[in-house]
Amino acid sequence: MIKRCLTAAVLVSAFVSMPSKAKSGINPWQQCGIGAMVFPDNGVAAAISNIIWDLGTTAVSSNISSVESCEGANVKTAQFIQQTFPVLEQEIAQGEGEYIAAMLNVRGCDVTAHQQIITSVRNDYANAPIDNAQAFYELVEGKITTNFSSQCAAI
């Protein structure tokens, strides 16, 4: 338990300390990495390419290929989800956990809204075919932008 808390804290500090220029509406799988370079006008093809290439890890951690479009809280959130997806799956099923809280902190959400966001994501997660980090990111980001934008930092 202590090891998981420390790991979550280290991951959060790594993501929070990254410099950023907030951009709105970025989907890292579609607009970053190799896929975006090869398919700049086709987000679906870019996402497929990124996932085929390396499961999307280059896309969400891109600091070289797409510097201008791949920064901000949503990209940091996507990176965090990509790196911790198996644990996030377990914690969303339980309805709580350090990694979920860390993810929402990285995203810039108020602590007072965490439980509402988790409940909302958890309800949809139970009814949706979420089997990868990108799908989970899209679910979380959709919930935040639709229902919790006033409690989370603008991206």
Side-chain angles (χ1 to χ4, degrees), residues 41-109:
D41 298 322
N42 187 335
V44 173
I48 291 169
S49 175
N50 280 328
I51 292 188
I52 289 171
W53 180 257
D54 63 1
L55 299 177
T57 56
T58 300
V60 296
S61 63
S62 177
N63 287 326
I64 298 170
S65 62
S66 308
V67 175
E68 294 303 315
S69 67
C70 296
E71 297 178 341
N74 58 338
V75 174
K76 292 176 189 175
T77 304
Q79 290 171 329
F80 186 83
I81 290 170
Q82 182 74 35
Q83 294 177 356
T84 62
F85 181 62
V87 177
L88 287 170
E89 279 187 304
Q90 291 174 354
E91 289 186 357
I92 202 69
Q94 295 169 353
E96 62 183 7
E98 295 89 10
Y99 282 75
I100 294 173
M103 175 191 69
L104 294 174
N105 287 335
V106 168
R107 179 54 180 77
C109 297

Side-chain angles (χ1 to χ4, degrees), residues 10-155:
V10 168
L11 284 170
V12 168
S13 67
F15 288 109
V16 171
S17 65
M18 291 179 183
S20 68
K21 298 175 190 171
K23 304 279 183 187
S24 63
I26 294 174
N27 180 322
W29 283 272
Q30 294 180 351
Q31 296 173 294
C32 300
I34 296 165
M37 290 172 34
V38 175
F39 302 104
D41 298 322
N42 187 335
V44 173
I48 291 169
S49 175
N50 280 328
I51 292 188
I52 289 171
W53 180 257
D54 63 1
L55 299 177
T57 56
T58 300
V60 296
S61 63
S62 177
N63 287 326
I64 298 170
S65 62
S66 308
V67 175
E68 294 303 315
S69 67
C70 296
E71 297 178 341
N74 58 338
V75 174
K76 292 176 189 175
T77 304
Q79 290 171 329
F80 186 83
I81 290 170
Q82 182 74 35
Q83 294 177 356
T84 62
F85 181 62
V87 177
L88 287 170
E89 279 187 304
Q90 291 174 354
E91 289 186 357
I92 202 69
Q94 295 169 353
E96 62 183 7
E98 295 89 10
Y99 282 75
I100 294 173
M103 175 191 69
L104 294 174
N105 287 335
V106 168
R107 179 54 180 77
C109 297
D110 293 335
V111 173
T112 58
H114 282 196
Q115 193 55 52
Q116 290 176 315
I117 296 169
I118 292 167
T119 300
S120 181
V121 168
R122 186 174 190 223
N123 289 339
D124 281 8
Y125 182 83
N127 298 317
I130 306 295
D131 61 353
N132 61 59
Q134 179 182 359
F136 186 74
Y137 166 81
E138 290 172 355
L139 172 63
V140 170
E141 193 58 35
K143 286 293 181 185
I144 289 171
T145 57
T146 303
N147 302 325
F148 302 99
S149 60
S150 64
Q151 292 105 341
C152 296
I155 54 172

